[in-house]
Amino acid sequence: MNGFSLTVADVLTKKLFSSAKLIAGANGQQNIIKWVHIVENMDATKLLKGNELILTTGIHLKNNVDDFKQFIHQLIASKASGLCIELGSSIQTIPDLVQQLATDYHFPLIIFQEEVAFVEITQEIHSTLINQQYEIVKNLEDYAQLINKYTLTANNYEQILMHLYKHLGLQVIFTFNGQRSIFIPNIHQDKYEMMQKQSNVEYKEKHLISCDVNILNQRYGEVCLFSPLRVINEYDALILDRTVIALSQYLLRDLYIEEKKGLEDRDILEKWLNGVSNIEELTHFIQEHHATTTTNHWIVMIHHIQKSKNSDLTYYKLFTRNVFEKFGFFPFIVEKNHQLIFILANLREREPYKHRIEQAIERIHDNNKKYAKLKISLAVGKYVTNLQNVKNSFTTAKDTLQIRWKSQDLSYFYEDLHLYHLIFQLQKNPAIMEMVAEYIDPLIKYDQKHNSNLVETLKVYLQTNGLKKETSERLFIVRQTLYHRLEKIEQLLGHDFMKPEKRLALELMLVATE
């Protein structure tokens, strides 16, 4: 037996199988057996759950090759481990067509050349399987305690994966955050890559198993076990599951340590945002923290957070960092004045960045609703292609945040708010805004006094480029009412309110009043 699994090859070595002979399907000898079932009719296969070794006298197959082939097909479809047939009064020989079918599907076909007691076979094999289950539970508990202790002393995650390899002797493959897979040990990489290119699903199911590494409700990567020499069994899967749990805990602890260490980097990050760092200092800092980052494409994103008493900002930072990395950004994070400022390195320069950021924001919002429950306002600054221009992205992100506070329905992105940024800059000069306000102030006062809708009418009229039919339809008013309102607007603003220079001032002021 191989570890904690019982295969067809294993049972063939037992004393009760001394008179047995494997006549077909030799390539399926590594099929795992989870139970033994006696079948003496054609309908019993619908009761099979998979991985059963089937015993039969073949009385239901006597003198009928088509029924025999159909029976074999049913067993293969039910994922039975193999078929044992007692030759005697019912069946004296196995047709060549049946043997060829079993060989083609790697389905072990075993004959007993003399009478055997099926009940003794089932008792012995079932006893072996039950004893294995007890051993699995005991070894699994011992391994779980050992691996949890091991994570406390391990210096890196590769040591944990090496411990998994030493325990099972199977090829371990770890893939995380879309990076190149790590093979421990690197002995079956060529066979693994060849198998991945093949479309043999049945082979993959038997020789490959994977388990996701989840951190903070996000998929961080996966660990695979691969064995070209034997079938992956239940014990392998359980050990993999326990290892991945321990690995997730180790990686989470490592992320928390990194987050704490990030506080030490705050000074240099703030200098970077304020544009007072030199290029050599920044380059060294970036390479030290993320050696593979060679991009010159950056964008600053601000998360303004209204924290509650029970909120965990460290959790939010870890989760958000993981999301950004998943969508192709490496984040440098500064926490300041109820804000998390993300300096995002775009690692996928050839892909549009806005769609990926929108996807990341959606993922962050969904998780925040379920777990963190923070009140968050987001803003994304200007996209820049130089380390020293990050200050510009930070400044525009702050302006975008100010604009979005007044209207959360607006876009997160600086590039989408050109007109609003222009007004925002104008609002910083009271003299200019007072001058512009003179254009629309008469309408505002008239609406307040008469409870009318002249401001809204003017806004729609300008949006439709003065098309009266479309304006009345959008306002849901008859044409005569529109004429009356336009006449009043002309009295208050002057008959030249549609001239280009005056119209521009009106449009700016209408946006500003929103």
Side-chain angles (χ1 to χ4, degrees), residues 355-370:
H355 179 60
R356 286 184 285 125
I357 285 185
E358 287 172 342
Q359 288 179 302
I361 290 173
E362 183 178 355
R363 187 74 57 83
I364 291 166
H365 277 322
D366 289 344
N367 183 77
N368 184 51
K369 290 177 183 177
K370 294 179 180 177

Side-chain angles (χ1 to χ4, degrees), residues 203-221:
Y203 180 84
K204 291 180 181 180
E205 288 179 351
K206 291 182 177 180
H207 296 273
L208 177 70
I209 188 173
S210 64
C211 184
D212 286 347
V213 179
N214 292 306
I215 301 176
L216 302 173
N217 308 301
Q218 280 288 302
R219 184 180 182 276
Y220 192 80

Side-chain angles (χ1 to χ4, degrees), residues 429-462:
N429 190 321
I432 295 177
M433 290 309 296
E434 287 177 9
M435 181 180 65
V436 176
E438 292 177 1
Y439 285 91
I440 200 169
D441 195 50
L443 296 186
I444 294 174
K445 290 180 178 178
Y446 186 90
D447 281 347
Q448 291 173 345
K449 184 177 180 180
H450 298 89
N451 194 27
S452 58
N453 293 301
L454 295 187
V455 173
E456 179 67 17
T457 301
L458 176 62
K459 177 183 173 182
V460 176
Y461 189 61
L462 294 174

Side-chain angles (χ1 to χ4, degrees), residues 288-316:
E288 182 182 12
H289 285 72
H290 192 17
T292 60
T293 299
T294 58
T295 182
N296 283 319
H297 292 243
W298 303 87
I299 191 166
V300 174
M301 183 178 186
I302 300 176
H303 295 212
H304 185 87
I305 300 172
Q306 183 178 338
K307 293 196 289 184
S308 63
K309 293 181 180 180
N310 299 322
S311 62
D312 184 355
L313 204 56
T314 303
Y315 169 90
Y316 180 81

Side-chain angles (χ1 to χ4, degrees), residues 24 151 156 163-164 185 193 210 231 238 251 331 452:
T151 56
N156 56 65
H163 190 73
L164 172 63
E193 292 174 348
S210 64
V231 175
L238 292 171
L251 292 172
S452 58

Side-chain angles (χ1 to χ4, degrees), residues 1-13 22 24-34 51 53 79-82 105-110 170 202-203 205-207 227-234 236:
M1 289 181 290
N2 194 336
F4 293 98
S5 64
L6 183 67
T7 66
V8 173
D10 294 328
V11 299
L12 286 173
T13 63
L22 179 69
N27 288 337
Q29 289 185 74
Q30 294 304 314
N31 288 354
I32 292 174
I33 299 171
K34 292 185 178 180
N51 297 113
L53 179 66
K79 297 186 178 180
S81 303
Y105 283 91
H106 309 314
F107 182 71
L109 190 56
I110 301 166
L170 301 178
E202 183 179 357
Y203 180 84
E205 288 179 351
K206 291 182 177 180
H207 296 273
S227 172
L229 303 177
R230 72 168 176 86
V231 175
I232 301 292
N233 59 46
E234 183 181 3
D236 300 328

